[in-house]
mmCIF file of all heavy atoms in Angstrom:
data_model
loop_
_atom_site.group_PDB
_atom_site.id
_atom_site.type_symbol
_atom_site.label_atom_id
_atom_site.label_comp_id
_atom_site.label_asym_id
_atom_site.label_seq_id
_atom_site.Cartn_x
_atom_site.Cartn_y
_atom_site.Cartn_z
ATOM 1 N N ALA V 25 -26.362 -27.113 46.680
ATOM 2 C CA ALA V 25 -25.200 -27.633 47.478
ATOM 3 C C ALA V 25 -25.638 -28.720 48.410
ATOM 4 O O ALA V 25 -24.921 -29.786 48.559
ATOM 5 C CB ALA V 25 -24.622 -26.503 48.200
ATOM 6 N N LYS V 26 -26.807 -28.614 48.993
ATOM 7 C CA LYS V 26 -27.276 -29.659 50.064
ATOM 8 C C LYS V 26 -27.549 -30.927 49.279
ATOM 9 O O LYS V 26 -27.487 -32.020 49.980
ATOM 10 C CB LYS V 26 -28.584 -29.158 50.625
ATOM 11 C CG LYS V 26 -28.305 -28.009 51.630
ATOM 12 C CD LYS V 26 -29.649 -27.514 52.159
ATOM 13 C CE LYS V 26 -29.462 -26.327 53.085
ATOM 14 N NZ LYS V 26 -30.784 -25.842 53.661
ATOM 15 N N GLN V 27 -27.857 -30.933 48.070
ATOM 16 C CA GLN V 27 -28.157 -32.195 47.348
ATOM 17 C C GLN V 27 -26.942 -33.083 47.183
ATOM 18 O O GLN V 27 -26.962 -34.219 46.771
ATOM 19 C CB GLN V 27 -28.685 -31.903 45.912
ATOM 20 C CG GLN V 27 -30.028 -31.194 45.908
ATOM 21 C CD GLN V 27 -30.403 -30.873 44.455
ATOM 22 O OE1 GLN V 27 -29.923 -31.217 43.557
ATOM 23 N NE2 GLN V 27 -31.417 -29.858 44.378
ATOM 24 N N HIS V 28 -25.749 -32.479 47.465
ATOM 25 C CA HIS V 28 -24.526 -33.243 47.314
ATOM 26 C C HIS V 28 -23.779 -33.602 48.694
ATOM 27 O O HIS V 28 -22.738 -34.021 48.664
ATOM 28 C CB HIS V 28 -23.436 -32.356 46.544
ATOM 29 C CG HIS V 28 -24.039 -32.051 45.126
ATOM 30 N ND1 HIS V 28 -24.905 -31.022 44.837
ATOM 31 C CD2 HIS V 28 -23.931 -32.742 44.004
ATOM 32 C CE1 HIS V 28 -25.204 -31.014 43.644
ATOM 33 N NE2 HIS V 28 -24.678 -32.121 43.052
ATOM 34 N N LEU V 29 -24.591 -33.523 49.776
ATOM 35 C CA LEU V 29 -24.110 -33.932 51.027
ATOM 36 C C LEU V 29 -23.637 -35.459 50.912
ATOM 37 O O LEU V 29 -24.138 -36.247 50.247
ATOM 38 C CB LEU V 29 -25.146 -33.849 52.122
ATOM 39 C CG LEU V 29 -25.463 -32.502 52.590
ATOM 40 C CD1 LEU V 29 -26.726 -32.377 53.391
ATOM 41 C CD2 LEU V 29 -24.284 -31.988 53.478
ATOM 42 N N SER V 30 -22.565 -35.718 51.651
ATOM 43 C CA SER V 30 -21.900 -37.049 51.708
ATOM 44 C C SER V 30 -21.139 -37.494 50.511
ATOM 45 O O SER V 30 -20.535 -38.524 50.446
ATOM 46 C CB SER V 30 -22.919 -38.094 52.086
ATOM 47 O OG SER V 30 -23.604 -37.803 53.314
ATOM 48 N N ILE V 31 -21.032 -36.620 49.468
ATOM 49 C CA ILE V 31 -20.166 -37.005 48.218
ATOM 50 C C ILE V 31 -18.712 -36.894 48.863
ATOM 51 O O ILE V 31 -18.365 -35.998 49.587
ATOM 52 C CB ILE V 31 -20.332 -36.079 47.083
ATOM 53 C CG1 ILE V 31 -21.704 -36.340 46.419
ATOM 54 C CG2 ILE V 31 -19.230 -36.272 46.114
ATOM 55 C CD1 ILE V 31 -22.019 -35.520 45.308
ATOM 56 N N ARG V 32 -18.007 -37.933 48.493
ATOM 57 C CA ARG V 32 -16.568 -38.054 49.139
ATOM 58 C C ARG V 32 -15.656 -36.894 48.711
ATOM 59 O O ARG V 32 -15.865 -36.188 47.696
ATOM 60 C CB ARG V 32 -15.943 -39.381 48.719
ATOM 61 C CG ARG V 32 -15.513 -39.474 47.319
ATOM 62 C CD ARG V 32 -15.014 -40.907 46.952
ATOM 63 N NE ARG V 32 -14.383 -40.967 45.686
ATOM 64 C CZ ARG V 32 -13.059 -41.107 45.532
ATOM 65 N NH1 ARG V 32 -12.290 -41.289 46.552
ATOM 66 N NH2 ARG V 32 -12.477 -41.183 44.347
ATOM 67 N N TYR V 33 -14.656 -36.678 49.563
ATOM 68 C CA TYR V 33 -13.572 -35.733 49.252
ATOM 69 C C TYR V 33 -12.627 -36.397 48.212
ATOM 70 O O TYR V 33 -12.262 -37.585 48.331
ATOM 71 C CB TYR V 33 -12.837 -35.438 50.569
ATOM 72 C CG TYR V 33 -11.710 -34.427 50.313
ATOM 73 C CD1 TYR V 33 -11.971 -33.094 50.276
ATOM 74 C CD2 TYR V 33 -10.409 -34.872 49.936
ATOM 75 C CE1 TYR V 33 -10.925 -32.112 50.049
ATOM 76 C CE2 TYR V 33 -9.351 -33.996 49.695
ATOM 77 C CZ TYR V 33 -9.691 -32.640 49.711
ATOM 78 O OH TYR V 33 -8.625 -31.784 49.421
ATOM 79 N N ARG V 34 -12.242 -35.609 47.253
ATOM 80 C CA ARG V 34 -11.219 -36.024 46.333
ATOM 81 C C ARG V 34 -10.271 -34.835 46.076
ATOM 82 O O ARG V 34 -10.752 -33.710 45.613
ATOM 83 C CB ARG V 34 -11.794 -36.589 45.093
ATOM 84 C CG ARG V 34 -10.725 -36.912 44.028
ATOM 85 C CD ARG V 34 -11.330 -37.402 42.692
ATOM 86 N NE ARG V 34 -11.671 -38.809 42.962
ATOM 87 C CZ ARG V 34 -12.279 -39.594 41.997
ATOM 88 N NH1 ARG V 34 -12.586 -39.149 40.904
ATOM 89 N NH2 ARG V 34 -12.421 -40.894 42.257
ATOM 90 N N SER V 35 -8.936 -34.946 46.331
ATOM 91 C CA SER V 35 -8.070 -33.874 45.979
ATOM 92 C C SER V 35 -8.151 -33.433 44.525
ATOM 93 O O SER V 35 -8.058 -34.209 43.683
ATOM 94 C CB SER V 35 -6.676 -34.342 46.362
ATOM 95 O OG SER V 35 -5.743 -33.223 46.162
ATOM 96 N N GLY V 36 -8.403 -32.188 44.310
ATOM 97 C CA GLY V 36 -8.573 -31.684 42.991
ATOM 98 C C GLY V 36 -9.869 -32.028 42.296
ATOM 99 O O GLY V 36 -10.068 -31.546 41.195
ATOM 100 N N GLY V 37 -10.784 -32.625 43.057
ATOM 101 C CA GLY V 37 -12.007 -32.971 42.490
ATOM 102 C C GLY V 37 -13.021 -31.929 42.269
ATOM 103 O O GLY V 37 -13.180 -31.002 43.012
ATOM 104 N N THR V 38 -13.616 -31.937 41.067
ATOM 105 C CA THR V 38 -14.575 -30.938 40.639
ATOM 106 C C THR V 38 -15.903 -31.481 40.129
ATOM 107 O O THR V 38 -16.695 -30.806 39.564
ATOM 108 C CB THR V 38 -14.056 -30.133 39.540
ATOM 109 O OG1 THR V 38 -13.722 -31.023 38.444
ATOM 110 C CG2 THR V 38 -12.700 -29.447 39.985
ATOM 111 N N THR V 39 -16.152 -32.898 40.449
ATOM 112 C CA THR V 39 -17.353 -33.514 39.959
ATOM 113 C C THR V 39 -18.026 -34.291 41.065
ATOM 114 O O THR V 39 -17.412 -34.554 42.194
ATOM 115 C CB THR V 39 -17.025 -34.436 38.763
ATOM 116 O OG1 THR V 39 -16.233 -35.624 39.302
ATOM 117 C CG2 THR V 39 -16.251 -33.810 37.724
ATOM 118 N N GLN V 40 -19.200 -34.785 40.790
ATOM 119 C CA GLN V 40 -19.962 -35.503 41.739
ATOM 120 C C GLN V 40 -19.259 -36.854 42.132
ATOM 121 O O GLN V 40 -19.671 -37.545 43.046
ATOM 122 C CB GLN V 40 -21.388 -35.828 41.280
ATOM 123 C CG GLN V 40 -22.135 -34.485 41.119
ATOM 124 C CD GLN V 40 -23.523 -34.709 40.426
ATOM 125 O OE1 GLN V 40 -23.667 -35.437 39.443
ATOM 126 N NE2 GLN V 40 -24.455 -33.962 40.947
ATOM 127 N N SER V 41 -18.244 -37.278 41.443
ATOM 128 C CA SER V 41 -17.412 -38.406 41.917
ATOM 129 C C SER V 41 -16.494 -38.085 43.036
ATOM 130 O O SER V 41 -15.979 -38.947 43.649
ATOM 131 C CB SER V 41 -16.739 -39.148 40.753
ATOM 132 O OG SER V 41 -15.739 -38.255 40.220
ATOM 133 N N GLY V 42 -16.389 -36.811 43.321
ATOM 134 C CA GLY V 42 -15.561 -36.293 44.477
ATOM 135 C C GLY V 42 -15.151 -34.905 44.312
ATOM 136 O O GLY V 42 -14.847 -34.462 43.205
ATOM 137 N N PHE V 43 -15.185 -34.125 45.371
ATOM 138 C CA PHE V 43 -14.899 -32.738 45.406
ATOM 139 C C PHE V 43 -13.734 -32.407 46.356
ATOM 140 O O PHE V 43 -13.780 -32.916 47.478
ATOM 141 C CB PHE V 43 -16.069 -31.869 45.889
ATOM 142 C CG PHE V 43 -17.203 -31.921 44.931
ATOM 143 C CD1 PHE V 43 -18.407 -32.625 45.279
ATOM 144 C CD2 PHE V 43 -17.218 -31.245 43.727
ATOM 145 C CE1 PHE V 43 -19.447 -32.625 44.488
ATOM 146 C CE2 PHE V 43 -18.380 -31.266 42.879
ATOM 147 C CZ PHE V 43 -19.472 -31.998 43.242
ATOM 148 N N ASP V 44 -12.908 -31.413 46.041
ATOM 149 C CA ASP V 44 -12.167 -30.820 47.089
ATOM 150 C C ASP V 44 -12.969 -29.539 47.488
ATOM 151 O O ASP V 44 -14.005 -29.339 46.873
ATOM 152 C CB ASP V 44 -10.611 -30.463 46.679
ATOM 153 C CG ASP V 44 -10.503 -29.485 45.531
ATOM 154 O OD1 ASP V 44 -11.580 -28.813 45.174
ATOM 155 O OD2 ASP V 44 -9.439 -29.277 45.112
ATOM 156 N N CYS V 45 -12.509 -28.723 48.407
ATOM 157 C CA CYS V 45 -13.350 -27.680 48.941
ATOM 158 C C CYS V 45 -13.694 -26.668 47.877
ATOM 159 O O CYS V 45 -14.823 -26.296 47.695
ATOM 160 C CB CYS V 45 -12.644 -27.018 50.114
ATOM 161 S SG CYS V 45 -11.039 -26.181 49.872
ATOM 162 N N SER V 46 -12.686 -26.187 47.162
ATOM 163 C CA SER V 46 -12.882 -25.160 46.130
ATOM 164 C C SER V 46 -13.601 -25.735 44.915
ATOM 165 O O SER V 46 -14.350 -25.102 44.261
ATOM 166 C CB SER V 46 -11.613 -24.474 45.815
ATOM 167 O OG SER V 46 -10.671 -25.395 45.234
ATOM 168 N N GLY V 47 -13.378 -27.009 44.664
ATOM 169 C CA GLY V 47 -14.009 -27.683 43.549
ATOM 170 C C GLY V 47 -15.471 -27.771 43.830
ATOM 171 O O GLY V 47 -16.382 -27.582 42.914
ATOM 172 N N PHE V 48 -15.845 -27.917 45.120
ATOM 173 C CA PHE V 48 -17.245 -28.034 45.457
ATOM 174 C C PHE V 48 -17.963 -26.682 45.293
ATOM 175 O O PHE V 48 -19.029 -26.544 44.766
ATOM 176 C CB PHE V 48 -17.429 -28.546 46.911
ATOM 177 C CG PHE V 48 -18.839 -28.529 47.392
ATOM 178 C CD1 PHE V 48 -19.810 -29.375 46.807
ATOM 179 C CD2 PHE V 48 -19.260 -27.784 48.447
ATOM 180 C CE1 PHE V 48 -21.099 -29.442 47.253
ATOM 181 C CE2 PHE V 48 -20.538 -27.774 48.900
ATOM 182 C CZ PHE V 48 -21.393 -28.643 48.283
ATOM 183 N N THR V 49 -17.366 -25.629 45.928
ATOM 184 C CA THR V 49 -18.021 -24.293 45.737
ATOM 185 C C THR V 49 -18.184 -23.847 44.357
ATOM 186 O O THR V 49 -19.105 -23.349 43.797
ATOM 187 C CB THR V 49 -17.272 -23.226 46.633
ATOM 188 O OG1 THR V 49 -15.887 -23.180 46.243
ATOM 189 C CG2 THR V 49 -17.471 -23.509 48.106
ATOM 190 N N ARG V 50 -17.046 -24.120 43.601
ATOM 191 C CA ARG V 50 -17.013 -23.813 42.134
ATOM 192 C C ARG V 50 -18.014 -24.566 41.437
ATOM 193 O O ARG V 50 -18.846 -23.989 40.580
ATOM 194 C CB ARG V 50 -15.628 -24.156 41.537
ATOM 195 C CG ARG V 50 -15.413 -23.710 40.140
ATOM 196 C CD ARG V 50 -13.985 -24.070 39.767
ATOM 197 N NE ARG V 50 -13.777 -23.430 38.402
ATOM 198 C CZ ARG V 50 -13.266 -24.050 37.350
ATOM 199 N NH1 ARG V 50 -13.240 -25.365 37.346
ATOM 200 N NH2 ARG V 50 -13.132 -23.432 36.173
ATOM 201 N N PHE V 51 -18.250 -25.777 41.708
ATOM 202 C CA PHE V 51 -19.301 -26.647 41.030
ATOM 203 C C PHE V 51 -20.731 -26.118 41.291
ATOM 204 O O PHE V 51 -21.591 -26.036 40.413
ATOM 205 C CB PHE V 51 -19.236 -28.102 41.495
ATOM 206 C CG PHE V 51 -20.192 -28.996 41.101
ATOM 207 C CD1 PHE V 51 -20.067 -29.695 39.827
ATOM 208 C CD2 PHE V 51 -21.352 -29.348 41.789
ATOM 209 C CE1 PHE V 51 -21.074 -30.524 39.377
ATOM 210 C CE2 PHE V 51 -22.314 -30.235 41.424
ATOM 211 C CZ PHE V 51 -22.137 -30.837 40.179
ATOM 212 N N CYS V 52 -20.990 -25.701 42.562
ATOM 213 C CA CYS V 52 -22.318 -25.205 42.937
ATOM 214 C C CYS V 52 -22.681 -23.906 42.270
ATOM 215 O O CYS V 52 -23.689 -23.715 41.711
ATOM 216 C CB CYS V 52 -22.358 -25.024 44.438
ATOM 217 S SG CYS V 52 -22.306 -26.581 45.390
ATOM 218 N N PHE V 53 -21.671 -22.986 42.258
ATOM 219 C CA PHE V 53 -21.861 -21.683 41.579
ATOM 220 C C PHE V 53 -21.901 -21.882 40.052
ATOM 221 O O PHE V 53 -22.811 -21.125 39.390
ATOM 222 C CB PHE V 53 -20.816 -20.619 42.052
ATOM 223 C CG PHE V 53 -21.234 -20.104 43.407
ATOM 224 C CD1 PHE V 53 -20.647 -20.650 44.469
ATOM 225 C CD2 PHE V 53 -22.043 -18.921 43.514
ATOM 226 C CE1 PHE V 53 -20.944 -20.092 45.779
ATOM 227 C CE2 PHE V 53 -22.312 -18.411 44.707
ATOM 228 C CZ PHE V 53 -21.788 -19.023 45.873
ATOM 229 N N LYS V 54 -21.071 -22.690 39.467
ATOM 230 C CA LYS V 54 -21.035 -22.909 38.055
ATOM 231 C C LYS V 54 -22.499 -23.334 37.516
ATOM 232 O O LYS V 54 -22.838 -22.972 36.397
ATOM 233 C CB LYS V 54 -20.043 -23.874 37.673
ATOM 234 C CG LYS V 54 -19.796 -24.071 36.159
ATOM 235 C CD LYS V 54 -18.660 -24.991 35.836
ATOM 236 C CE LYS V 54 -18.564 -25.173 34.395
ATOM 237 N NZ LYS V 54 -17.489 -26.114 34.101
ATOM 238 N N HIS V 55 -23.169 -24.111 38.310
ATOM 239 C CA HIS V 55 -24.424 -24.646 37.987
ATOM 240 C C HIS V 55 -25.433 -23.533 37.655
ATOM 241 O O HIS V 55 -26.442 -23.642 36.957
ATOM 242 C CB HIS V 55 -24.959 -25.614 39.073
ATOM 243 C CG HIS V 55 -26.322 -26.195 38.764
ATOM 244 N ND1 HIS V 55 -26.354 -27.277 37.837
ATOM 245 C CD2 HIS V 55 -27.581 -25.900 39.174
ATOM 246 C CE1 HIS V 55 -27.671 -27.599 37.751
ATOM 247 N NE2 HIS V 55 -28.344 -26.799 38.501
ATOM 248 N N PHE V 56 -25.163 -22.309 38.253
ATOM 249 C CA PHE V 56 -26.073 -21.154 38.115
ATOM 250 C C PHE V 56 -25.347 -20.036 37.242
ATOM 251 O O PHE V 56 -25.700 -18.951 37.275
ATOM 252 C CB PHE V 56 -26.415 -20.691 39.546
ATOM 253 C CG PHE V 56 -27.230 -21.631 40.214
ATOM 254 C CD1 PHE V 56 -26.768 -22.517 41.039
ATOM 255 C CD2 PHE V 56 -28.609 -21.638 40.030
ATOM 256 C CE1 PHE V 56 -27.417 -23.436 41.754
ATOM 257 C CE2 PHE V 56 -29.532 -22.525 40.685
ATOM 258 C CZ PHE V 56 -28.874 -23.505 41.506
ATOM 259 N N GLY V 57 -24.294 -20.461 36.480
ATOM 260 C CA GLY V 57 -23.685 -19.624 35.499
ATOM 261 C C GLY V 57 -22.606 -18.662 36.137
ATOM 262 O O GLY V 57 -22.130 -17.743 35.490
ATOM 263 N N ILE V 58 -22.173 -19.051 37.349
ATOM 264 C CA ILE V 58 -21.076 -18.096 37.916
ATOM 265 C C ILE V 58 -19.765 -18.875 37.935
ATOM 266 O O ILE V 58 -19.739 -19.973 38.463
ATOM 267 C CB ILE V 58 -21.493 -17.798 39.418
ATOM 268 C CG1 ILE V 58 -22.808 -17.084 39.542
ATOM 269 C CG2 ILE V 58 -20.469 -16.960 40.151
ATOM 270 C CD1 ILE V 58 -22.932 -15.887 38.729
ATOM 271 N N SER V 59 -18.758 -18.323 37.375
ATOM 272 C CA SER V 59 -17.512 -18.920 37.323
ATOM 273 C C SER V 59 -16.692 -18.468 38.473
ATOM 274 O O SER V 59 -16.296 -17.263 38.590
ATOM 275 C CB SER V 59 -16.835 -18.585 35.964
ATOM 276 O OG SER V 59 -15.547 -19.251 35.933
ATOM 277 N N LEU V 60 -16.196 -19.428 39.283
ATOM 278 C CA LEU V 60 -15.196 -19.107 40.438
ATOM 279 C C LEU V 60 -13.980 -19.879 39.966
ATOM 280 O O LEU V 60 -13.942 -20.897 39.462
ATOM 281 C CB LEU V 60 -15.690 -19.736 41.682
ATOM 282 C CG LEU V 60 -16.978 -18.985 42.382
ATOM 283 C CD1 LEU V 60 -17.441 -19.721 43.699
ATOM 284 C CD2 LEU V 60 -16.714 -17.584 42.565
ATOM 285 N N PRO V 61 -12.797 -19.238 40.508
ATOM 286 C CA PRO V 61 -11.541 -19.984 40.222
ATOM 287 C C PRO V 61 -11.434 -21.291 41.019
ATOM 288 O O PRO V 61 -12.202 -21.452 42.038
ATOM 289 C CB PRO V 61 -10.553 -18.968 40.693
ATOM 290 C CG PRO V 61 -11.239 -17.926 41.536
ATOM 291 C CD PRO V 61 -12.699 -18.043 41.141
ATOM 292 N N HIS V 62 -10.589 -22.234 40.573
ATOM 293 C CA HIS V 62 -10.449 -23.501 41.328
ATOM 294 C C HIS V 62 -9.236 -23.524 42.254
ATOM 295 O O HIS V 62 -8.337 -24.259 42.064
ATOM 296 C CB HIS V 62 -10.418 -24.675 40.432
ATOM 297 C CG HIS V 62 -10.485 -26.039 41.122
ATOM 298 N ND1 HIS V 62 -10.297 -27.224 40.583
ATOM 299 C CD2 HIS V 62 -10.640 -26.261 42.435
ATOM 300 C CE1 HIS V 62 -10.374 -28.153 41.450
ATOM 301 N NE2 HIS V 62 -10.588 -27.636 42.562
ATOM 302 N N SER V 63 -9.269 -22.637 43.194
ATOM 303 C CA SER V 63 -8.427 -22.639 44.409
ATOM 304 C C SER V 63 -9.073 -21.839 45.462
ATOM 305 O O SER V 63 -9.635 -20.771 45.091
ATOM 306 C CB SER V 63 -7.024 -22.198 43.976
ATOM 307 O OG SER V 63 -6.937 -20.788 44.185
ATOM 308 N N SER V 64 -9.022 -22.353 46.650
ATOM 309 C CA SER V 64 -9.571 -21.583 47.709
ATOM 310 C C SER V 64 -8.902 -20.167 47.928
ATOM 311 O O SER V 64 -9.598 -19.210 48.189
ATOM 312 C CB SER V 64 -9.498 -22.359 49.074
ATOM 313 O OG SER V 64 -8.217 -22.745 49.261
ATOM 314 N N ALA V 65 -7.643 -20.190 47.728
ATOM 315 C CA ALA V 65 -6.894 -18.844 47.773
ATOM 316 C C ALA V 65 -7.429 -17.894 46.729
ATOM 317 O O ALA V 65 -7.730 -16.664 47.023
ATOM 318 C CB ALA V 65 -5.399 -19.007 47.677
ATOM 319 N N ALA V 66 -7.636 -18.353 45.542
ATOM 320 C CA ALA V 66 -8.142 -17.499 44.471
ATOM 321 C C ALA V 66 -9.607 -17.051 44.678
ATOM 322 O O ALA V 66 -9.960 -15.946 44.520
ATOM 323 C CB ALA V 66 -8.012 -18.092 43.093
ATOM 324 N N GLN V 67 -10.409 -18.045 45.240
ATOM 325 C CA GLN V 67 -11.838 -17.638 45.567
ATOM 326 C C GLN V 67 -11.817 -16.605 46.716
ATOM 327 O O GLN V 67 -12.730 -15.831 46.860
ATOM 328 C CB GLN V 67 -12.590 -18.930 46.067
ATOM 329 C CG GLN V 67 -12.931 -19.873 44.844
ATOM 330 C CD GLN V 67 -13.802 -20.943 45.179
ATOM 331 O OE1 GLN V 67 -14.337 -21.039 46.188
ATOM 332 N NE2 GLN V 67 -13.704 -21.896 44.292
ATOM 333 N N GLY V 68 -10.776 -16.489 47.526
ATOM 334 C CA GLY V 68 -10.563 -15.487 48.541
ATOM 335 C C GLY V 68 -10.386 -14.118 48.013
ATOM 336 O O GLY V 68 -10.481 -13.124 48.766
ATOM 337 N N ASN V 69 -10.227 -14.017 46.740
ATOM 338 C CA ASN V 69 -10.142 -12.601 46.060
ATOM 339 C C ASN V 69 -11.314 -12.284 45.236
ATOM 340 O O ASN V 69 -11.300 -11.270 44.610
ATOM 341 C CB ASN V 69 -8.869 -12.735 45.178
ATOM 342 C CG ASN V 69 -7.619 -12.794 45.982
ATOM 343 O OD1 ASN V 69 -7.463 -12.162 47.045
ATOM 344 N ND2 ASN V 69 -6.694 -13.586 45.460
#
């Protein structure tokens, strides 16, 4: 996650060209084989 500091915010973003909040956490965990939903509300469950 720290390797991606300063990557810009992008609504709905899920890649290194831009992340939204849940896209970022999803991206980080997915790199290690963990699938999280792409919405902060769903990640809250």
